[in-house]
Amino acid sequence: MRVLLLTTAATVMRSVAADGAFCESGLDCSLNGVCVDKACVCDPGWTSHPSLSQGSPDCGMLDLKPVKSYESFHGISEQSSSWGGSVLQLPAAEGVNSSDGTVYAMFAAEMTHNCTLRHWLTNSEVVLAVADSPTGPYKEQFQVIPPWAHNPEAILTSDGTVVIYTLGDGIPYHGPEFRCDEPPAPAPKPPPAPPPAPPSPTHTANFTLHYAPAKAGAFTSKDNWKALNVSILDFPTEFQWPGNWNPAPIALPDGRVRVMVHTGWSRITGNLTGWSGEVIIEADDWRGPYRVISSKDITSCTYCEEDPYMWQARRPPHMPSVDVAFTHSVASSCCLVAGVSSECNTLRADRTVHLAVLTHTT
């Protein structure tokens, strides 16, 4: 796994916004900068897409530079395969030599038994690795969640808890792990199909969180990790569950947690096809229960979105809470503002910007 560093200097990008004009507000700067004299001044760590003449928004691309490969995460051995990596700066355990009393904790999906990503549906586990700096090298500590668990996203909540959201609950839904480090064995029988969705328009969807206290490095002890089953109330039945929900959480200062989730998997469900879009769920506390707070679908499309990520923007300053999100299969940026309607800008593969209205309440 390679680690990429954000640059620390602000950049000034004068370019044409999506409507053919120079920037008029921070929205034209993707909420990752300010509009000054019709030019975007990007926050540190952000820059603009090189194809601005085709209508890309300013400050909509991470300003990254590579680091040396040995300063990365290689898993338990050089033969290990991994996917993703959610990093938090957390308190160091007592006795750990740290200049500022913290360590960098990475929660990554790793394939067991030296398998490759080909076997991610059976062999993906979540492991903890720690480092003294954000670039690493990260040293693997232990398995946090057994297969099947993928795409971990970790947050530090307002009560000092490290909470991991994953695709999969640590239960081998797709069959036993392959033993890629041993001679091939007969293929296992496929697991039973999930139960049919209930007939009502909505239902209660359940998922599992894994958590540990952050204080004094308690998360670095395997014994401190616990599992908790939580619920999403009144979740639309037409959204496939269980499925490729790929949670993207964000912890708010008042204790609330919002999560962007997929509305579809790889099959057709009702009016939805494939990776069809995202919705936002929210809970007053990370323990739930969660409820859908966005409009029915934020970015409705077909086979065009995967692995969303969400962060809290600092602009515009007069708004109480602004969340921004994107998915890696489509360049997209969504503005989610507490208590008011807002818009989701999705830059489609054909470079056309689509808008969808979001509404939710505090």
Side-chain angles (χ1 to χ4, degrees):
M1 177 187 298
R2 296 292 297 275
V3 178
L4 297 174
L5 282 179
L6 289 174
T7 59
T8 57
T11 57
V12 179
M13 308 298 294
R14 182 179 293 278
S15 56
V16 178
D19 59 359
F22 292 106
C23 70
E24 299 293 341
S25 71
L27 289 174
D28 293 328
C29 304
S30 304
L31 296 179
N32 297 319
V34 293
C35 183
V36 179
D37 296 329
K38 297 191 178 296
C40 284
V41 179
C42 302
D43 291 338
W46 293 94
T47 186
S48 295
H49 196 279
S51 58
L52 288 169
S53 59
Q54 301 183 47
S56 297
D58 266 333
C59 306
M61 186 174 73
L62 290 170
D63 192 7
L64 299 172
K65 59 181 180 180
V67 297
K68 297 177 181 178
S69 62
Y70 64 79
E71 294 182 343
S72 305
F73 170 70
H74 290 290
I76 199 169
S77 74
E78 292 290 338
Q79 285 72 46
S80 298
S81 297
S82 61
W83 177 266
S86 181
V87 179
L88 296 175
Q89 186 178 13
L90 298 172
E94 185 177 353
V96 172
N97 185 17
S98 171
S99 60
D100 61 358
T102 66
V103 295
Y104 292 86
M106 174 188 287
F107 301 91
E110 184 177 353
M111 308 307 117
T112 61
H113 303 298
N114 290 337
C115 286
T116 65
L117 287 173
R118 174 186 176 189
H119 297 104
W120 73 278
L121 283 173
T122 54
N123 289 58
S124 182
E125 63 178 348
V126 175
V127 299
L128 167 66
V130 297
D132 296 329
S133 73
T135 60
Y138 285 84
K139 183 178 180 180
E140 185 168 326
Q141 303 299 300
F142 51 80
Q143 179 193 78
V144 180
I145 311 173
W148 178 64
H150 199 62
N151 276 4
E153 288 289 345
I155 59 173
L156 179 62
T157 64
S158 61
D159 64 1
T161 305
V162 181
V163 183
I164 305 177
Y165 294 73
T166 53
L167 170 59
D169 298 334
I171 300 172
Y173 295 114
H174 305 288
E177 300 169 51
F178 280 85
R179 306 288 303 201
C180 300
D181 48 4
E182 297 179 359
K189 294 182 179 180
S200 61
T202 62
H203 67 118
T204 298
N206 298 308
F207 63 96
T208 302
L209 296 174
H210 294 80
Y211 66 97
K215 186 177 180 179
F219 66 94
T220 59
S221 172
K222 186 177 177 67
D223 292 340
N224 288 331
W225 283 94
K226 310 296 180 185
L228 178 68
N229 189 58
V230 298
S231 299
I232 309 173
L233 304 181
D234 301 321
F235 198 69
T237 304
E238 66 173 324
F239 299 161
Q240 291 176 345
W241 192 273
N244 187 23
W245 78 301
N246 276 345
I250 182 172
L252 301 179
D254 61 4
R256 288 178 295 160
V257 173
R258 291 182 186 149
V259 190
M260 174 175 274
V261 303
H262 263 330
T263 58
W265 182 223
S266 59
R267 300 175 296 275
I268 297 176
T269 303
N271 296 324
L272 304 176
T273 305
W275 305 331
S276 53
E278 314 286 344
V279 293
I280 304 296
I281 60 175
E282 182 183 271
D284 293 335
D285 180 88
W286 61 268
R287 301 169 184 82
Y290 293 77
R291 291 179 173 82
V292 176
I293 63 168
S294 65
S295 55
K296 179 180 176 182
D297 241 325
I298 295 173
T299 53
S300 183
C301 57
T302 302
Y303 290 103
C304 65
E305 296 177 343
E306 189 181 10
D307 300 346
Y309 181 78
M310 189 158 59
W311 72 96
Q312 190 163 19
R314 294 181 294 171
R315 297 181 178 84
H318 63 279
M319 295 183 178
S321 178
V322 178
D323 303 339
V324 183
F326 70 85
T327 65
H328 84 235
S329 294
V330 172
S332 63
S333 177
C334 304
C335 171
L336 315 175
V337 185
V340 299
S341 300
S342 56
E343 292 179 334
C344 172
N345 286 331
T346 301
L347 185 62
R348 298 291 297 277
D350 59 2
R351 317 302 298 180
T352 303
V353 176
H354 297 264
L355 300 180
V357 175
L358 309 179
T359 58
H360 55 80
T361 57
T362 53

